[in-house]
Amino acid sequence: MGRERLLSMLRQNRLVLIAAGVAMYVAWREPAYLRPQNLANAVEYIALNGILALGMTLLMIARSFDISIGSTMVLAGTVTVLASPHLAAPGAILAGLATGVACGLINGILVARFDVNSFIATLGTMVVFQGVAFSL
């Protein structure tokens, strides 16, 4: 019974074990990998991708997806940066968040109200959001 339990635990945690193995290999090959600044940078980038992946996971559970997420993020960031000289930091951040919400609302209305396929709707809005961000 102990061997079956161990094998079951290994199967359930195989991704964690693979990630730990890769981290140990990289730390062995490059000692600077385990420096606090490098680990802080890794956590920072993982947090951003994790937040984006969480939203995409919810969409996939609903049998939909959004390919305009990158363009939405760029447009919201552009609005935040352009608003920062005119507003205090919280106001600029709120302007960026409002831009992201507006982009999501446009996608949601196209998909839910007008019954446009989520791939087609977000493909179109992706191009529009990229163009608006580029023009700004």
Side-chain angles (χ1 to χ4, degrees), residues 28-46:
W28 173 66
R29 297 286 292 167
E30 183 59 52
Y33 178 73
L34 292 178
R35 290 195 179 141
Q37 184 60 43
N38 186 51
L39 295 176
N41 288 338
V43 168
E44 181 180 339
Y45 291 117
I46 289 169

Side-chain angles (χ1 to χ4, degrees), residues 22-70:
V22 169
M24 288 184 346
Y25 175 75
V26 172
W28 173 66
R29 297 286 292 167
E30 183 59 52
Y33 178 73
L34 292 178
R35 290 195 179 141
Q37 184 60 43
N38 186 51
L39 295 176
N41 288 338
V43 168
E44 181 180 339
Y45 291 117
I46 289 169
L48 176 63
N49 289 334
I51 291 168
L52 296 174
L54 180 64
M56 294 302 287
T57 301
L58 294 175
L59 281 173
M60 288 183 181
I61 289 171
R63 293 185 174 196
S64 186
F65 55 93
D66 183 358
I67 59 173
S68 69
I69 189 169

Side-chain angles (χ1 to χ4, degrees), residues 9-126:
M9 192 255 331
L10 289 174
R11 264 188 245 111
Q12 289 175 353
N13 297 311
R14 65 180 170 256
L15 289 178
V16 173
L17 294 172
I18 290 170
V22 169
M24 288 184 346
Y25 175 75
V26 172
W28 173 66
R29 297 286 292 167
E30 183 59 52
Y33 178 73
L34 292 178
R35 290 195 179 141
Q37 184 60 43
N38 186 51
L39 295 176
N41 288 338
V43 168
E44 181 180 339
Y45 291 117
I46 289 169
L48 176 63
N49 289 334
I51 291 168
L52 296 174
L54 180 64
M56 294 302 287
T57 301
L58 294 175
L59 281 173
M60 288 183 181
I61 289 171
R63 293 185 174 196
S64 186
F65 55 93
D66 183 358
I67 59 173
S68 69
I69 189 169
S71 299
T72 301
M73 189 173 66
V74 168
L75 180 57
T78 302
V79 168
T80 303
V81 168
L82 291 176
S84 63
H86 307 290
L87 301 171
I93 292 170
L94 285 175
L97 287 173
T99 303
V101 168
C103 292
L105 188 62
I106 291 168
N107 284 333
I109 288 172
L110 287 173
V111 172
R113 283 271 190 216
F114 297 111
D115 203 30
V116 179
N117 183 305
S118 65
F119 179 80
I120 300 300
T122 59
L123 178 66
T125 58
M126 176 184 73

